[in-house]
Amino acid sequence: MVCGDCKKVFERKGWRSSTGVDRKVWQCSERYKVKRVMGCANRHVEEKTLIKAYLMAWNVLVENREDFMEQWTEQLQSKNLLEGYRAEKFIEYTDGAEPLTEMDTDFMLKTLDHIKVFEDGTLAVMFLDGTETECKNEEE
């Protein structure tokens, strides 16, 4: 998780409402670097929203696999061995894949580079193969 405003990392926080409901959110590490003094003005993001954004972005890759095959084939020919390896894995992962309906953390760690969060609610999901998909966060 990276802040789209100040480029710092996001931190996971546990919040409890006055009614006792627990929720997991992520917020910029610069938001309250000094206690009770607001730093970065970027918003927090619910963890469930991040999961939804990842699933949507991955499913875009799966559903549009043929559109990405040219990029991955070029990357296979790259002198950069890591780039070639990642392209090979994305070809393998998307071959015959069904859209994901629930989070698989191990699989996410194999495919996701980072998610960038912007003040306007946009989430940019960057995969390890270099592809990027934007999602609009409608949560307030």
Side-chain angles (χ1 to χ4, degrees), residues 98-117:
E98 293 293 319
L100 293 176
T101 56
E102 59 185 50
M103 180 59 117
D104 177 343
T105 304
D106 290 335
F107 184 72
M108 183 225 23
L109 292 172
K110 292 178 187 177
T111 58
L112 181 67
D113 187 36
H114 66 276
I115 298 176
K116 192 177 282 189
V117 180

Side-chain angles (χ1 to χ4, degrees), residues 3-133:
C3 180
D5 293 344
C6 71
K7 313 295 185 250
K8 301 291 185 184
V9 296
F10 267 53
E11 299 173 329
R12 187 174 191 232
K13 306 278 185 182
W15 286 1
R16 176 168 283 165
S17 72
S18 59
T19 59
V21 176
D22 288 330
R23 61 187 189 155
K24 300 296 181 208
V25 299
W26 290 75
Q27 73 180 24
C28 181
S29 60
E30 294 292 306
R31 177 102 175 165
Y32 294 108
K33 194 166 187 161
V34 176
K35 194 168 184 132
R36 291 191 271 286
V37 176
M38 181 145 59
C40 180
N42 203 344
R43 62 170 70 196
H44 71 274
V45 181
E46 298 274 347
E47 188 164 273
K48 64 184 180 187
T49 301
L50 296 170
I51 292 170
K52 190 170 148 184
Y54 170 77
L55 293 174
M56 286 173 40
W58 176 258
N59 291 338
V60 165
L61 284 183
V62 169
E63 292 164 9
N64 299 289
R65 181 179 192 265
E66 294 308 312
D67 297 336
F68 293 103
M69 282 302 292
E70 182 179 336
Q71 170 190 328
W72 294 331
T73 304
E74 286 176 17
Q75 289 173 330
L76 281 172
Q77 310 305 316
S78 172
K79 291 182 181 186
N80 181 328
L81 297 178
L82 181 57
E83 186 176 287
Y85 172 78
R86 287 177 173 166
E88 181 181 330
K89 296 312 273 182
F90 272 73
I91 291 169
E92 177 187 318
Y93 295 151
T94 58
D95 186 26
E98 293 293 319
L100 293 176
T101 56
E102 59 185 50
M103 180 59 117
D104 177 343
T105 304
D106 290 335
F107 184 72
M108 183 225 23
L109 292 172
K110 292 178 187 177
T111 58
L112 181 67
D113 187 36
H114 66 276
I115 298 176
K116 192 177 282 189
V117 180
F118 295 93
E119 175 64 27
D120 68 357
T122 301
L123 303 174
V125 180
M126 177 69 82
F127 290 102
L128 289 171
D129 72 329
T131 56
E132 184 175 334
T133 304

